[in-house]
Amino acid sequence: MTDTSMADTTMAMESGVEVGGALMVPSKNIVENAMGSSDHTTLVAAVKAAGLVETLSGTGPFTVFAPVNAAFDKLPAGTVDKLLKPEMKADLTKILTYHVVSGSYKAADLKDGMELTTVQGGKLKLTQKDGAWWVNDAKITIPDVISSNGVTFVIDSVLMPK
């Protein structure tokens, strides 16, 4: 057995969900897992700019609805660059905390029509249609990404608070 196969065997012991080319594993927190995903570089940059790394690395538990890079690309041109400016930190924080719910919810816990209150204070409505789950107008593309401090659902759109 070579050193490489030994390392592969060790890494394979912890199972997880692949997101953005990286294995999301329960031993890492939500932020650590997100930082490995090539599909979440914009979200990670936004979390850093809003000063939320420490909070989302904390004990939790949290349920996070995590938009992919393509979700941010759907926003009007210049929106992301504007939100990442230091003077926009309060607005960015409001948007990001609208994607976070206290508590740990898995797909099996979701009920059609269920409403969850976000850390920001707004409501998210979960619906099931055509065999898929939606949170507001965003489709959940990957459910149940388990981290040490909660659960992440990968979504295809950015959720905007009312």
Side-chain angles (χ1 to χ4, degrees):
M1 214 181 208
T2 65
D3 287 342
T4 314
S5 59
M6 291 274 285
D8 290 345
T9 308
T10 307
M11 286 177 60
M13 286 181 185
E14 187 172 17
S15 62
V17 178
E18 189 172 315
V19 178
L23 189 64
M24 307 286 125
V25 292
S27 63
K28 291 182 180 177
N29 69 44
I30 289 168
V31 174
E32 290 168 335
N33 271 324
M35 289 173 86
S37 168
S38 63
D39 291 343
H40 290 91
T41 55
T42 305
L43 178 62
V44 169
V47 166
K48 287 177 180 176
L52 293 172
V53 171
E54 192 175 320
T55 302
L56 292 175
S57 297
T59 311
F62 304 107
T63 299
V64 175
F65 295 93
V68 293
N69 295 338
F72 286 96
D73 294 343
K74 291 184 196 177
L75 297 173
T79 302
V80 173
D81 289 337
K82 181 180 168 193
L83 284 169
L84 291 176
K85 292 184 176 170
E87 63 271 20
M88 296 300 290
K89 185 176 177 179
D91 290 340
L92 179 61
T93 300
K94 195 179 295 182
I95 292 167
L96 292 175
T97 56
Y98 186 65
H99 290 77
V100 181
V101 175
S102 288
S104 184
Y105 294 89
K106 294 186 180 121
D109 302 320
L110 305 182
K111 307 274 183 271
D112 194 24
M114 178 182 210
E115 282 194 349
L116 298 173
T117 302
T118 69
V119 171
Q120 177 266 347
K123 299 266 188 214
L124 298 176
K125 186 168 185 168
L126 290 140
T127 51
Q128 192 174 25
K129 54 187 173 198
D130 303 325
W133 279 99
W134 297 75
V135 54
N136 293 359
D137 294 325
K139 184 178 185 179
I140 296 173
T141 57
I142 303 174
D144 294 349
V145 179
I146 309 300
S147 296
S148 62
N149 62 342
V151 180
T152 301
F153 289 85
V154 177
I155 57 175
D156 71 352
S157 299
V158 176
L159 304 170
M160 291 301 216
K162 303 253 184 292

